[in-house]
Amino acid sequence: MQQTQPKSPTKIPSDPLQRAWIALGRISQSVQLHVAIALKDAKLPDLQWYTVLWELERAGQPTRPKDLAVPLFILPYQLSRLVDRMEKEELVSRIDCEEDKRGHLLELTVKGLALRKAMWAVYAPAMQQAMGRITDPEALKLAELLYKLGDIENPHGS
Amino acid sequence: MQQTQPKSPTKIPSDPLQRAWIALGRISQSVQLHVAIALKDAKLPDLQWYTVLWELERAGQPTRPKDLAVPLFILPYQLSRLVDRMEKEELVSRIDCEEDKRGHLLELTVKGLALRKAMWAVYAPAMQQAMGRITDPEALKLAELLYKLGDIENPHGS
DNA sequence: CCCCTTATGTTGCATTTGCAACAAAATGCA
DNA sequence: TGCATTTTGTTGCAAATGCAACATAAGGGG
């Protein structure tokens, strides 16, 4: 798993920031793809569906779409249609919201909960396999650098 | 830029690999989005178009689609349609391939070259701004860890 | 209360995508 | 050579997506 493609001169910029940018793009894409393929091979929905299910489960209560859109990093209309499809599969359901008659609350169904668990059984090992080449301390260092890189708060503080 | 959202307990896994996975997903998405928005605001095409133009320019000669698909990390049919659209804009052109009559060679046009440069003028500063919070040594360390994480060869060796 | 502005979601339509089926040239081999 | 297999790339069709326009409720003065 070490030395692949000895070909291609792959002219790489000397600027450290550009090198980090390229590495970030390539590795995240490759690793995401690995997990996505594992899920597809198992005839399971994709990562976005998982994230919706997980956020709802983690919230522990029916949640407004607008509160889900932020952690999901997606636009309202995208979430609207995503929920359409998931509701059709009976994984979530839209229930009335008393405080705000415009919207509604999204509730995880029993089927949705079960699917999230089934997906995790595939997701977790695939992630492990995709990333297993670094040690735990290295993984922590990597997470730290990434949070410093972006302007997203590191949930663990510095 | 430190303490945002004091809300949400944000239960985060203690497993270092999972923490790195989450950081990787969130940060790469956020940073990519920042650059994508900068390009869109400038009425320029997206990153994928840039990458095609850049790979062709870097190759320095007409190139087979199959040789582009690998660095682009995309499937043949995706590239086929991508080239359809770019050819319509006269950014690349399909020219005959003597060695293999099935396919063709992709050639960068003058217009394509100019567009790549115009995009870089927006792309580079946006990238800088999105990632400018880490120092150069940190950026190098980050790139190193990323290449160790994935199984993609680090163009700089270890 | 009425009206204007903002917030929250949804939808029509055109573009894009994924998948599987297809086409055609190259390759291997009997 | 003849013919099956592989490689390279494209396409029909259904599903998904982006964008802008829309619908409806909430909020905020006068």
Side-chain angles (χ1 to χ4, degrees), chain B residues 11-97:
Chain B
K11 202 184 72 189
I12 284 286
S14 56
D15 176 21
L17 228 49
Q18 285 183 39
R19 275 162 68 169
W21 164 264
I22 290 175
L24 184 58
R26 293 180 46 153
I27 303 303
S28 66
Q29 197 176 357
S30 139
V31 165
Q32 291 268 137
L33 193 59
H34 180 89
V35 174
I37 288 172
L39 287 171
K40 179 166 304 184
D41 286 349
K43 316 275 191 190
L44 291 169
D46 66 22
L47 277 173
Q48 202 171 33
W49 285 41
Y50 181 90
T51 309
V52 170
L53 295 173
W54 173 237
E55 289 294 332
L56 282 178
E57 183 175 340
R58 200 174 74 168
Q61 58 185 320
T63 304
R64 296 290 295 275
K66 73 182 175 94
D67 296 322
L68 272 191
V70 174
L72 286 178
F73 253 108
I74 65 177
L75 297 169
Y77 73 82
Q78 294 173 319
L79 182 55
S80 176
R81 280 171 168 154
L82 182 51
V83 170
D84 284 347
R85 277 166 252 146
M86 295 183 70
E87 197 174 27
K88 203 170 299 177
E89 303 291 332
E90 297 175 52
L91 301 171
V92 302
S93 58
R94 287 187 240 237
I95 60 181
D96 282 351
C97 176

Coordinates of all heavy atoms in Angstrom, one line a residue, chain B residues 11-97:
Chain B
K11 N -21.5 16.1 20.9 CA -20.8 14.9 21.3 C -19.9 14.4 20.3 O -20.3 14.1 19.1 CB -21.9 13.8 21.6 CG -21.4 12.7 22.5 CD -22.5 11.6 22.7 CE -22.6 10.8 21.4 NZ -23.7 9.9 21.4
I12 N -18.6 14.4 20.6 CA -17.6 14.0 19.6 C -16.9 12.7 20.1 O -16.7 12.5 21.3 CB -16.6 15.2 19.5 CG1 -17.1 16.3 18.7 CG2 -15.3 14.7 18.9 CD1 -17.2 16.1 17.3
P13 N -16.7 11.9 19.1 CA -16.1 10.6 19.5 C -14.7 10.7 20.1 O -14.0 11.6 19.8 CB -16.0 9.8 18.2 CG -16.0 10.8 17.1 CD -16.8 12.0 17.7
S14 N -14.4 9.8 21.0 CA -13.0 9.9 21.6 C -12.0 9.2 20.7 O -10.8 9.5 20.8 CB -13.1 9.3 23.0 OG -13.5 7.9 22.9
D15 N -12.5 8.4 19.8 CA -11.6 7.7 18.9 C -10.8 8.7 18.0 O -11.5 9.4 17.3 CB -12.3 6.7 18.1 CG -11.5 6.0 17.0 OD1 -10.2 6.0 17.3 OD2 -12.0 5.5 16.0
P16 N -9.5 8.7 18.1 CA -8.7 9.7 17.4 C -9.0 9.6 15.9 O -9.0 10.7 15.2 CB -7.3 9.3 17.7 CG -7.3 8.7 19.0 CD -8.6 7.9 19.0
L17 N -9.1 8.4 15.4 CA -9.4 8.3 13.9 C -10.7 8.9 13.5 O -10.8 9.5 12.5 CB -9.3 6.8 13.6 CG -8.5 6.4 12.4 CD1 -7.1 7.0 12.5 CD2 -8.4 4.9 12.2
Q18 N -11.7 8.7 14.3 CA -13.0 9.3 14.0 C -12.9 10.8 14.1 O -13.6 11.5 13.3 CB -14.1 8.8 15.0 CG -14.5 7.4 14.7 CD -15.6 6.9 15.6 OE1 -16.5 7.7 15.9 NE2 -15.6 5.6 16.0
R19 N -12.2 11.3 15.1 CA -12.0 12.7 15.2 C -11.3 13.3 14.0 O -11.7 14.4 13.4 CB -11.3 13.1 16.5 CG -12.2 13.2 17.6 CD -11.5 13.1 19.0 NE -10.7 14.2 19.3 CZ -10.2 14.5 20.5 NH1 -10.4 13.6 21.5 NH2 -9.4 15.5 20.7
A20 N -10.3 12.6 13.5 CA -9.6 13.1 12.3 C -10.6 13.0 11.1 O -10.6 13.9 10.2 CB -8.4 12.2 12.1
W21 N -11.4 12.0 11.0 CA -12.3 11.8 9.9 C -13.3 13.0 9.9 O -13.5 13.6 8.8 CB -13.1 10.5 10.1 CG -14.3 10.4 9.3 CD1 -15.6 10.7 9.7 CD2 -14.4 10.0 7.9 NE1 -16.5 10.4 8.7 CE2 -15.8 10.0 7.6 CE3 -13.5 9.6 7.0 CZ2 -16.2 9.7 6.3 CZ3 -13.9 9.2 5.7 CH2 -15.3 9.3 5.4
I22 N -13.8 13.3 11.0 CA -14.8 14.4 11.1 C -14.1 15.7 10.7 O -14.7 16.5 9.9 CB -15.4 14.5 12.5 CG1 -16.4 13.3 12.7 CG2 -16.2 15.8 12.7 CD1 -16.9 13.1 14.0
A23 N -13.0 16.0 11.3 CA -12.2 17.2 11.0 C -12.0 17.3 9.5 O -12.2 18.3 8.8 CB -10.9 17.3 11.7
L24 N -11.5 16.2 8.9 CA -11.2 16.1 7.5 C -12.4 16.5 6.6 O -12.4 17.3 5.7 CB -10.7 14.8 7.1 CG -10.2 14.6 5.7 CD1 -9.1 15.5 5.3 CD2 -9.7 13.1 5.5
G25 N -13.5 15.9 7.0 CA -14.8 16.1 6.2 C -15.2 17.6 6.3 O -15.5 18.2 5.3
R26 N -15.2 18.1 7.5 CA -15.7 19.4 7.7 C -14.8 20.5 7.2 O -15.3 21.4 6.5 CB -16.0 19.7 9.2 CG -17.1 18.8 9.8 CD -17.3 19.1 11.3 NE -17.3 20.5 11.6 CZ -18.0 21.0 12.6 NH1 -18.7 20.2 13.4 NH2 -17.9 22.3 12.9
I27 N -13.6 20.4 7.4 CA -12.6 21.4 7.0 C -12.5 21.4 5.5 O -12.5 22.5 4.8 CB -11.3 21.3 7.6 CG1 -11.4 21.3 9.2 CG2 -10.3 22.4 7.2 CD1 -12.1 22.5 9.7
S28 N -12.4 20.2 4.9 CA -12.2 20.2 3.4 C -13.4 20.8 2.7 O -13.3 21.6 1.8 CB -11.8 18.8 2.9 OG -12.9 18.0 3.1
Q29 N -14.6 20.4 3.3 CA -15.8 20.9 2.7 C -15.9 22.5 2.8 O -16.2 23.2 1.8 CB -17.0 20.3 3.4 CG -18.3 20.4 2.6 CD -19.5 19.7 3.3 OE1 -19.3 19.0 4.4 NE2 -20.7 19.8 2.8
S30 N -15.6 22.9 4.0 CA -15.7 24.4 4.2 C -14.7 25.2 3.4 O -15.0 26.2 2.8 CB -15.4 24.6 5.7 OG -14.6 25.7 5.9
V31 N -13.5 24.7 3.3 CA -12.4 25.4 2.5 C -12.7 25.3 1.0 O -12.6 26.3 0.3 CB -11.1 24.7 2.8 CG1 -10.0 25.2 1.8 CG2 -10.6 25.1 4.2
Q32 N -13.2 24.2 0.5 CA -13.5 24.0 -0.9 C -14.7 25.0 -1.2 O -14.7 25.6 -2.2 CB -14.0 22.6 -1.2 CG -12.9 21.6 -1.1 CD -12.3 21.3 -2.5 OE1 -11.1 21.2 -2.6 NE2 -13.1 21.3 -3.5
L33 N -15.6 25.1 -0.3 CA -16.8 25.9 -0.5 C -16.4 27.4 -0.6 O -16.9 28.1 -1.4 CB -17.8 25.7 0.6 CG -19.2 26.3 0.4 CD1 -19.8 25.7 -0.8 CD2 -20.1 26.1 1.7
H34 N -15.5 27.8 0.2 CA -15.0 29.1 0.2 C -14.4 29.5 -1.2 O -14.7 30.5 -1.7 CB -13.9 29.3 1.3 CG -13.3 30.7 1.3 ND1 -13.9 31.7 2.1 CD2 -12.3 31.3 0.7 CE1 -13.2 32.8 2.0 NE2 -12.3 32.6 1.1
V35 N -13.6 28.6 -1.7 CA -13.0 28.9 -3.0 C -14.1 28.8 -4.1 O -14.1 29.7 -5.0 CB -11.9 27.9 -3.3 CG1 -11.4 28.1 -4.7 CG2 -10.7 28.1 -2.3
A36 N -15.0 27.9 -4.0 CA -16.0 27.7 -5.0 C -16.9 29.0 -5.0 O -17.2 29.5 -6.1 CB -16.9 26.5 -4.7
I37 N -17.2 29.6 -3.9 CA -18.0 30.8 -3.9 C -17.2 31.9 -4.5 O -17.8 32.8 -5.2 CB -18.4 31.1 -2.4 CG1 -19.5 30.1 -2.0 CG2 -18.9 32.5 -2.3 CD1 -19.8 30.2 -0.5
A38 N -15.9 32.0 -4.2 CA -15.1 33.1 -4.8 C -15.2 33.0 -6.3 O -15.3 34.1 -7.0 CB -13.7 33.0 -4.3
L39 N -15.1 31.8 -6.8 CA -15.1 31.7 -8.3 C -16.5 32.0 -8.8 O -16.6 32.7 -9.8 CB -14.7 30.2 -8.7 CG -13.2 29.9 -8.5 CD1 -13.0 28.4 -8.7 CD2 -12.4 30.7 -9.5
K40 N -17.5 31.6 -8.2 CA -18.9 31.9 -8.6 C -19.1 33.4 -8.6 O -19.7 33.9 -9.5 CB -19.9 31.1 -7.8 CG -21.3 31.4 -8.2 CD -22.3 30.4 -7.6 CE -21.9 29.0 -8.0 NZ -22.8 28.0 -7.5
D41 N -18.7 34.0 -7.5 CA -18.9 35.5 -7.4 C -18.2 36.2 -8.5 O -18.7 37.3 -9.0 CB -18.4 36.0 -6.1 CG -19.3 35.6 -4.9 OD1 -20.4 35.1 -5.2 OD2 -19.0 35.7 -3.8
A42 N -17.1 35.6 -9.0 CA -16.4 36.3 -10.1 C -16.9 35.8 -11.5 O -16.3 36.1 -12.5 CB -14.9 36.0 -10.0
K43 N -18.0 35.1 -11.5 CA -18.7 34.6 -12.7 C -17.7 33.7 -13.5 O -17.7 33.7 -14.7 CB -19.1 35.8 -13.6 CG -19.8 36.9 -12.9 CD -21.2 36.7 -12.7 CE -21.9 37.9 -12.3 NZ -23.3 37.7 -11.9
L44 N -17.0 32.9 -12.7 CA -16.0 32.0 -13.4 C -16.5 30.6 -13.2 O -17.3 30.3 -12.3 CB -14.6 32.2 -12.8 CG -13.9 33.5 -13.1 CD1 -12.7 33.7 -12.3 CD2 -13.6 33.6 -14.6
P45 N -16.0 29.7 -14.1 CA -16.4 28.3 -13.9 C -15.9 27.7 -12.6 O -15.1 28.3 -11.9 CB -15.8 27.6 -15.1 CG -15.5 28.7 -16.1 CD -15.2 29.9 -15.3
D46 N -16.3 26.5 -12.3 CA -15.9 25.9 -11.1 C -14.6 25.2 -11.1 O -13.9 25.2 -12.1 CB -17.0 24.9 -10.6 CG -17.1 23.7 -11.5 OD1 -16.2 23.4 -12.2 OD2 -18.2 23.1 -11.5
L47 N -14.2 24.6 -9.9 CA -12.9 24.0 -9.7 C -12.5 22.9 -10.7 O -11.4 22.7 -11.1 CB -12.7 23.6 -8.3 CG -12.3 24.7 -7.3 CD1 -12.3 24.1 -5.9 CD2 -10.9 25.1 -7.7
Q48 N -13.6 22.1 -11.0 CA -13.4 21.0 -11.9 C -12.9 21.5 -13.3 O -11.9 20.9 -13.8 CB -14.6 20.2 -12.0 CG -14.4 18.7 -12.5 CD -15.6 17.9 -12.4 OE1 -16.7 18.4 -12.6 NE2 -15.5 16.6 -12.1
W49 N -13.5 22.5 -13.8 CA -13.0 23.1 -15.1 C -11.6 23.5 -14.9 O -10.8 23.3 -15.8 CB -13.9 24.2 -15.5 CG -15.3 23.8 -16.0 CD1 -16.1 22.8 -15.5 CD2 -16.0 24.3 -17.2 NE1 -17.2 22.7 -16.3 CE2 -17.2 23.6 -17.3 CE3 -15.7 25.4 -18.1 CZ2 -18.1 23.9 -18.3 CZ3 -16.6 25.6 -19.1 CH2 -17.8 24.9 -19.2
Y50 N -11.3 24.2 -13.8 CA -9.9 24.7 -13.6 C -9.0 23.5 -13.7 O -7.9 23.6 -14.4 CB -9.8 25.4 -12.3 CG -8.4 25.9 -12.1 CD1 -8.0 27.2 -12.5 CD2 -7.4 25.1 -11.5 CE1 -6.7 27.6 -12.4 CE2 -6.1 25.5 -11.4 CZ -5.8 26.8 -11.8 OH -4.5 27.2 -11.7
T51 N -9.3 22.4 -13.0 CA -8.4 21.3 -13.0 C -8.1 20.7 -14.3 O -7.0 20.3 -14.7 CB -8.9 20.2 -12.0 OG1 -9.3 20.9 -10.8 CG2 -7.9 19.2 -11.7
V52 N -9.2 20.6 -15.1 CA -9.0 20.1 -16.5 C -8.0 21.0 -17.3 O -7.1 20.5 -17.9 CB -10.4 20.0 -17.3 CG1 -10.1 19.8 -18.7 CG2 -11.3 19.0 -16.6
L53 N -8.3 22.3 -17.2 CA -7.4 23.3 -17.9 C -6.0 23.2 -17.4 O -5.1 23.1 -18.2 CB -8.0 24.7 -17.7 CG -9.4 25.0 -18.3 CD1 -9.9 26.3 -17.9 CD2 -9.3 24.8 -19.8
W54 N -5.9 23.1 -16.1 CA -4.5 23.0 -15.6 C -3.8 21.7 -15.9 O -2.6 21.8 -16.3 CB -4.6 23.2 -14.0 CG -3.3 23.0 -13.4 CD1 -3.0 22.1 -12.4 CD2 -2.0 23.7 -13.6 NE1 -1.7 22.2 -12.0 CE2 -1.1 23.2 -12.8 CE3 -1.7 24.7 -14.5 CZ2 0.3 23.7 -12.8 CZ3 -0.4 25.2 -14.6 CH2 0.6 24.7 -13.7
E55 N -4.5 20.6 -15.9 CA -3.8 19.4 -16.2 C -3.4 19.4 -17.7 O -2.3 18.8 -18.0 CB -4.7 18.2 -15.9 CG -5.0 17.9 -14.4 CD -3.7 17.4 -13.7 OE1 -2.8 16.8 -14.3 OE2 -3.6 17.7 -12.5
L56 N -4.2 19.9 -18.5 CA -3.8 20.0 -19.9 C -2.6 20.9 -20.1 O -1.7 20.6 -20.9 CB -5.0 20.5 -20.8 CG -6.1 19.4 -21.1 CD1 -7.2 20.1 -21.9 CD2 -5.5 18.3 -21.8
E57 N -2.7 22.0 -19.4 CA -1.6 23.0 -19.6 C -0.3 22.4 -19.0 O 0.8 22.5 -19.7 CB -1.9 24.3 -18.8 CG -0.8 25.4 -19.0 CD -1.2 26.7 -18.3 OE1 -2.5 26.9 -18.1 OE2 -0.3 27.5 -18.0
R58 N -0.4 21.7 -17.9 CA 0.8 21.1 -17.3 C 1.4 20.0 -18.2 O 2.6 19.8 -18.3 CB 0.4 20.5 -15.9 CG 1.6 20.3 -15.0 CD 1.1 19.9 -13.7 NE 0.6 18.5 -13.6 CZ 0.4 17.9 -12.5 NH1 0.5 18.5 -11.4 NH2 0.0 16.6 -12.5
A59 N 0.5 19.2 -18.8 CA 0.9 18.1 -19.7 C 1.8 18.7 -20.8 O 2.7 18.1 -21.3 CB -0.3 17.4 -20.2
G60 N 1.4 19.9 -21.3 CA 2.2 20.5 -22.3 C 2.0 20.0 -23.7 O 2.6 20.3 -24.6
Q61 N 1.0 19.1 -23.8 CA 0.7 18.5 -25.1 C -0.7 17.9 -25.0 O -1.2 17.6 -24.0 CB 1.7 17.4 -25.4 CG 1.8 16.3 -24.4 CD 2.8 15.3 -24.6 OE1 3.1 14.9 -25.8 NE2 3.5 14.8 -23.6
P62 N -1.3 17.7 -26.2 CA -2.6 17.1 -26.3 C -2.6 15.7 -25.5 O -1.6 15.0 -25.6 CB -2.9 16.9 -27.8 CG -2.1 18.0 -28.4 CD -0.9 18.1 -27.6
T63 N -3.7 15.5 -24.8 CA -3.7 14.4 -23.8 C -5.0 13.5 -24.0 O -6.0 14.1 -24.3 CB -3.6 14.9 -22.4 OG1 -2.5 15.7 -22.3 CG2 -3.6 13.8 -21.4
R64 N -4.8 12.2 -23.8 CA -6.0 11.3 -23.9 C -6.9 11.5 -22.7 O -6.4 11.7 -21.6 CB -5.5 9.9 -23.9 CG -4.7 9.5 -25.1 CD -5.5 9.4 -26.4 NE -6.5 8.4 -26.4 CZ -6.3 7.1 -26.7 NH1 -5.1 6.7 -27.0 NH2 -7.3 6.2 -26.6
P65 N -8.2 11.4 -22.9 CA -9.2 11.5 -21.8 C -8.8 10.5 -20.7 O -8.9 10.9 -19.5 CB -10.5 11.2 -22.5 CG -10.3 11.6 -23.9 CD -8.9 11.4 -24.2
K66 N -8.5 9.3 -21.1 CA -8.2 8.3 -20.0 C -7.0 8.7 -19.1 O -7.0 8.3 -18.0 CB -7.9 7.0 -20.7 CG -6.6 6.9 -21.4 CD -6.3 5.5 -22.0 CE -5.1 5.5 -22.8 NZ -3.9 5.0 -22.1
D67 N -6.1 9.5 -19.7 CA -5.0 10.0 -18.8 C -5.3 11.1 -18.0 O -4.7 11.4 -17.0 CB -3.8 10.3 -19.7 CG -3.3 9.1 -20.5 OD1 -3.3 8.0 -19.9 OD2 -2.9 9.2 -21.7
L68 N -6.4 11.8 -18.3 CA -6.9 12.9 -17.5 C -7.8 12.4 -16.4 O -7.9 13.0 -15.3 CB -7.7 13.9 -18.3 CG -6.9 15.0 -19.0 CD1 -7.9 16.1 -19.6 CD2 -5.9 15.7 -18.0
A69 N -8.5 11.3 -16.7 CA -9.5 10.9 -15.7 C -8.9 10.5 -14.4 O -9.5 10.6 -13.3 CB -10.3 9.7 -16.3
V70 N -7.7 10.0 -14.5 CA -7.0 9.5 -13.2 C -6.7 10.7 -12.3 O -7.2 10.7 -11.1 CB -5.8 8.7 -13.5 CG1 -5.0 8.3 -12.3 CG2 -6.2 7.4 -14.3
P71 N -5.9 11.7 -12.7 CA -5.7 12.8 -11.8 C -6.9 13.5 -11.4 O -7.0 14.1 -10.3 CB -4.8 13.7 -12.6 CG -4.8 13.3 -14.0 CD -5.2 11.8 -14.0
L72 N -7.9 13.5 -12.3 CA -9.2 14.2 -11.9 C -10.1 13.4 -11.0 O -11.0 13.9 -10.5 CB -10.0 14.5 -13.2 CG -9.4 15.6 -14.1 CD1 -10.2 15.8 -15.3 CD2 -9.4 16.9 -13.3
F73 N -9.8 12.1 -10.9 CA -10.5 11.3 -10.0 C -12.0 11.2 -10.4 O -12.9 11.1 -9.6 CB -10.6 11.9 -8.6 CG -9.7 11.2 -7.6 CD1 -8.6 11.8 -7.1 CD2 -10.1 10.0 -7.1 CE1 -7.8 11.2 -6.2 CE2 -9.4 9.3 -6.1 CZ -8.2 9.9 -5.7
I74 N -12.2 11.2 -11.7 CA -13.6 11.1 -12.2 C -13.8 9.9 -13.2 O -12.8 9.4 -13.7 CB -14.1 12.4 -12.8 CG1 -13.3 12.7 -14.1 CG2 -14.0 13.5 -11.9 CD1 -13.8 13.9 -14.8
L75 N -15.0 9.5 -13.4 CA -15.3 8.4 -14.3 C -15.3 8.9 -15.8 O -15.5 10.1 -16.1 CB -16.7 7.8 -14.0 CG -16.7 7.3 -12.5 CD1 -18.2 6.9 -12.2 CD2 -15.8 6.0 -12.5
P76 N -15.0 7.9 -16.7 CA -15.0 8.3 -18.1 C -16.2 9.0 -18.6 O -16.1 10.0 -19.3 CB -14.9 6.9 -18.8 CG -14.4 6.0 -17.8 CD -14.8 6.5 -16.4
Y77 N -17.4 8.6 -18.2 CA -18.5 9.3 -18.8 C -18.7 10.7 -18.2 O -19.3 11.6 -18.9 CB -19.8 8.4 -18.5 CG -20.3 8.4 -17.1 CD1 -21.1 9.5 -16.6 CD2 -20.0 7.4 -16.3 CE1 -21.6 9.4 -15.4 CE2 -20.5 7.3 -15.0 CZ -21.3 8.4 -14.5 OH -21.8 8.4 -13.2
Q78 N -18.2 10.9 -17.0 CA -18.3 12.2 -16.5 C -17.3 13.1 -17.2 O -17.7 14.3 -17.6 CB -17.8 12.2 -15.0 CG -18.8 11.4 -14.1 CD -18.2 11.3 -12.7 OE1 -17.0 11.0 -12.5 NE2 -19.1 11.4 -11.7
L79 N -16.2 12.7 -17.5 CA -15.2 13.5 -18.3 C -15.7 13.7 -19.7 O -15.6 14.9 -20.2 CB -13.9 12.8 -18.4 CG -12.8 13.5 -19.1 CD1 -12.6 14.9 -18.5 CD2 -11.5 12.8 -19.1
S80 N -16.4 12.7 -20.3 CA -16.9 12.9 -21.6 C -17.9 14.1 -21.7 O -17.8 14.9 -22.6 CB -17.6 11.6 -22.0 OG -18.2 11.7 -23.3
R81 N -18.7 14.2 -20.7 CA -19.7 15.3 -20.7 C -19.1 16.6 -20.3 O -19.5 17.6 -20.8 CB -20.9 14.9 -19.9 CG -21.8 14.0 -20.6 CD -22.9 13.4 -19.7 NE -23.9 12.8 -20.5 CZ -24.7 11.8 -20.1 NH1 -24.5 11.4 -18.9 NH2 -25.6 11.3 -20.9
L82 N -18.1 16.5 -19.4 CA -17.4 17.7 -19.0 C -16.7 18.3 -20.2 O -16.8 19.5 -20.5 CB -16.4 17.3 -18.0 CG -15.6 18.4 -17.3 CD1 -16.4 19.6 -16.8 CD2 -14.7 17.9 -16.2
V83 N -16.1 17.5 -21.0 CA -15.4 17.9 -22.2 C -16.4 18.5 -23.3 O -16.2 19.5 -23.9 CB -14.5 16.8 -22.9 CG1 -14.0 17.2 -24.2 CG2 -13.4 16.5 -21.9
D84 N -17.6 17.8 -23.3 CA -18.6 18.3 -24.2 C -18.9 19.8 -23.9 O -18.9 20.7 -24.8 CB -20.0 17.6 -24.0 CG -20.0 16.2 -24.6 OD1 -19.1 15.9 -25.4 OD2 -20.9 15.4 -24.3
R85 N -19.1 20.1 -22.6 CA -19.4 21.5 -22.3 C -18.3 22.4 -22.5 O -18.4 23.6 -23.0 CB -19.9 21.5 -20.8 CG -21.3 21.2 -20.6 CD -21.6 20.9 -19.1 NE -21.8 19.5 -18.9 CZ -21.5 18.8 -17.7 NH1 -20.9 19.5 -16.8 NH2 -21.7 17.5 -17.6
M86 N -17.1 22.0 -22.2 CA -15.9 22.9 -22.3 C -15.6 23.1 -23.8 O -15.1 24.2 -24.2 CB -14.7 22.3 -21.6 CG -14.9 22.2 -20.1 SD -13.5 21.6 -19.2 CE -12.3 22.9 -19.3
E87 N -15.9 22.1 -24.6 CA -15.6 22.2 -26.0 C -16.6 23.2 -26.6 O -16.3 24.0 -27.5 CB -15.7 20.9 -26.7 CG -15.1 20.9 -28.1 CD -15.2 19.5 -28.7 OE1 -16.0 18.7 -28.3 OE2 -14.3 19.2 -29.6
K88 N -17.8 23.2 -26.1 CA -18.8 24.2 -26.5 C -18.4 25.6 -26.2 O -18.7 26.5 -27.0 CB -20.2 23.8 -25.8 CG -21.4 24.3 -26.6 CD -22.7 23.8 -26.0 CE -22.7 22.2 -26.0 NZ -23.9 21.7 -25.4
E89 N -17.6 25.8 -25.2 CA -17.1 27.1 -24.8 C -15.8 27.4 -25.5 O -15.1 28.4 -25.1 CB -17.0 27.2 -23.3 CG -18.3 27.0 -22.5 CD -19.3 28.1 -22.8 OE1 -18.9 29.2 -23.0 OE2 -20.5 27.8 -22.7
E90 N -15.4 26.4 -26.3 CA -14.1 26.6 -27.0 C -12.9 26.7 -26.1 O -11.9 27.4 -26.4 CB -14.1 27.8 -27.9 CG -15.2 27.7 -29.0 CD -15.3 29.0 -29.8 OE1 -14.2 29.5 -30.3 OE2 -16.4 29.5 -30.0
L91 N -12.9 26.0 -25.0 CA -11.8 26.0 -24.0 C -10.8 24.9 -24.3 O -9.6 25.0 -24.0 CB -12.3 25.9 -22.6 CG -13.3 27.0 -22.2 CD1 -13.9 26.7 -20.9 CD2 -12.6 28.4 -22.2
V92 N -11.4 23.8 -24.8 CA -10.6 22.6 -25.2 C -11.1 22.2 -26.6 O -12.2 22.5 -27.0 CB -10.6 21.5 -24.2 CG1 -10.2 21.9 -22.9 CG2 -12.0 20.9 -24.2
S93 N -10.3 21.4 -27.3 CA -10.9 20.8 -28.5 C -10.4 19.3 -28.6 O -9.4 19.0 -28.2 CB -10.4 21.6 -29.7 OG -9.0 21.6 -29.8
R94 N -11.3 18.6 -29.2 CA -11.0 17.1 -29.4 C -10.3 17.1 -30.8 O -10.9 17.5 -31.8 CB -12.3 16.3 -29.4 CG -12.9 16.1 -28.0 CD -14.0 15.2 -28.0 NE -15.3 15.8 -27.6 CZ -16.0 15.3 -26.5 NH1 -15.7 14.3 -25.9 NH2 -17.1 16.0 -26.2
I95 N -9.1 16.5 -30.8 CA -8.5 16.3 -32.1 C -8.2 14.8 -32.3 O -8.1 14.1 -31.4 CB -7.2 17.1 -32.2 CG1 -6.2 16.7 -31.1 CG2 -7.4 18.6 -32.0 CD1 -4.9 17.5 -31.1
D96 N -8.0 14.5 -33.6 CA -7.8 13.1 -33.9 C -6.6 12.5 -33.3 O -5.6 13.2 -33.1 CB -7.7 12.9 -35.4 CG -9.1 13.0 -36.1 OD1 -10.1 13.0 -35.3 OD2 -9.2 13.0 -37.3
C97 N -6.7 11.2 -32.9 CA -5.6 10.5 -32.4 C -5.2 9.4 -33.4 O -5.9 8.6 -33.7 CB -6.0 9.9 -31.0 SG -4.7 8.9 -30.3

